[in-house]
Amino acid sequence: MRRLVARTLARPLVLAAAAAAIPPASAAPAAADVVVGGFPVDVSQSPWTVALSSRDRFGDTRAGQFCGGVAVGRTAVLTAAHCMSEEVLGTAPGRAYDLKVIAGRTDLLSKQGTEIAVRNVWVNPGYDGTTNVGDFAVLTLAQPLPQTSVIAMAGPGDPAYAVGTTALVYGWGDTTGGGGYAHGLHAARVHVLADAACREAYPGGWGGTYRSESMLCAGEPAGGRDACQGDSGGPLVADGRLIGLVSWGDGCGRAGSPGVYTRVSDIVRTLRGDRGARARQQGA
């Protein structure tokens, strides 16, 4: 299966976009491997990792979590654009009135941390739901997070994008590739892969097309460690900086089918360009 998760295209990695697809917490396997091939972590180790929640859409199970996100400003959270689609939310982003960001919570079943309302949703106008190009959105929070919960974005030319760099992907998604969702935060250690390897894995057609200008590939040649359904929009971090957002892939942890992430340097370029365009309009 191609996962947008809420990974999807061949499908992005969203929780299959229906609450019914998420088993009750009691049916989830013991928290051994979430984010396929991963290990449990405390949110204090990655305070910028947040969960997106809509209890109206996904119910109280697992606090309504359906995607991940990452705080890049005290009131700014990045996530995948496909997580904000009407297919996932059941309505337009601006009409999902119970949409919240859960910060500072390791176990979704606990009362740890805070749940913050989303005041505004900006979806990248360049996002293409067919190709997954430009798969990112910015959520503006109704109240600020601590500065210690914010991670820096790696811009163009940052050495964190170098092939072979060790990175960590975080999320509360499927731990098995077969619908076994955990309620505790997990991380998986992966490596940044060469663009050539990713183009070979995803040359086009049903399996999707890898485009290096806006995408980043990470995983292991033999498979086994990867993001999965429910992890979409979550962070890929290397050298203490954000380099990717979970976007899509073919299956979870399969050999020869690495995870594809939205390249954060492209997000930085896009947001800088948008700010510049607005400034020019205001000065006209």
Side-chain angles (χ1 to χ4, degrees):
M1 185 213 33
R2 184 70 168 292
R3 80 237 191 247
L4 277 182
V5 185
R7 242 189 319 193
T8 148
L9 210 144
R11 295 227 1 156
L13 294 174
V14 176
L15 292 178
I22 307 172
S26 59
D33 286 320
V34 175
V35 185
V36 176
F39 52 90
V41 294
D42 191 90
V43 75
S44 62
Q45 298 172 253
S46 58
W48 16 262
T49 303
V50 301
L52 304 192
S53 165
S54 172
R55 287 180 171 84
D56 282 354
R57 177 67 166 162
F58 296 98
D60 286 330
T61 300
R62 302 175 69 256
Q65 187 270 345
F66 65 97
C67 272
V70 55
V72 295
R74 294 191 64 194
T75 59
V77 166
L78 285 178
T79 189
H82 72 258
C83 289
M84 295 293 104
S85 69
E86 188 165 343
E87 177 187 7
V88 173
L89 293 177
T91 187
R95 298 180 63 83
Y97 300 119
D98 77 323
L99 181 61
K100 293 181 179 178
V101 162
I102 302 176
R105 182 175 299 175
T106 301
D107 186 335
L108 292 172
L109 304 185
S110 75
K111 299 298 184 181
Q112 179 188 20
T114 57
E115 299 190 11
I116 304 174
V118 173
R119 188 176 66 194
N120 185 63
V121 177
W122 181 88
V123 177
N124 175 22
Y127 169 58
D128 186 326
T130 301
T131 64
N132 286 333
V133 166
D135 189 14
F136 76 93
V138 182
L139 311 183
T140 302
L141 305 183
Q143 63 187 69
L145 294 166
Q147 187 60 42
T148 52
S149 295
V150 174
I151 190 171
M153 294 187 286
D158 193 300
Y161 293 104
V163 174
T165 297
T166 299
L168 286 168
V169 56
Y170 297 85
W172 288 267
D174 189 350
T175 66
T176 65
Y181 295 93
H183 51 79
L185 179 62
H186 279 63
R189 189 168 286 107
V190 295
H191 290 90
V192 176
L193 302 178
D195 289 332
C198 298
R199 282 192 289 267
E200 182 178 352
Y202 301 113
W206 182 86
T209 305
Y210 177 78
R211 301 187 179 184
S212 59
E213 66 277 6
S214 65
M215 300 175 188
L216 173 70
C217 226
E220 300 300 318
R225 295 198 294 271
D226 196 4
C228 200
Q229 276 77 242
D231 292 323
S232 280
L236 179 69
V237 176
D239 296 336
R241 298 180 294 285
L242 181 67
I243 63 171
L245 300 178
V246 177
S247 183
W248 62 275
D250 187 0
C252 301
R254 294 178 181 174
S257 298
V260 183
Y261 298 78
T262 304
R263 187 179 288 266
V264 168
S265 58
D266 186 59
I267 296 176
V268 171
R269 279 191 294 261
T270 301
L271 293 178
R272 285 175 179 169
D274 180 69
R275 284 194 295 267
R278 283 182 289 176
R280 287 192 293 273
Q281 291 172 354
Q282 292 169 357

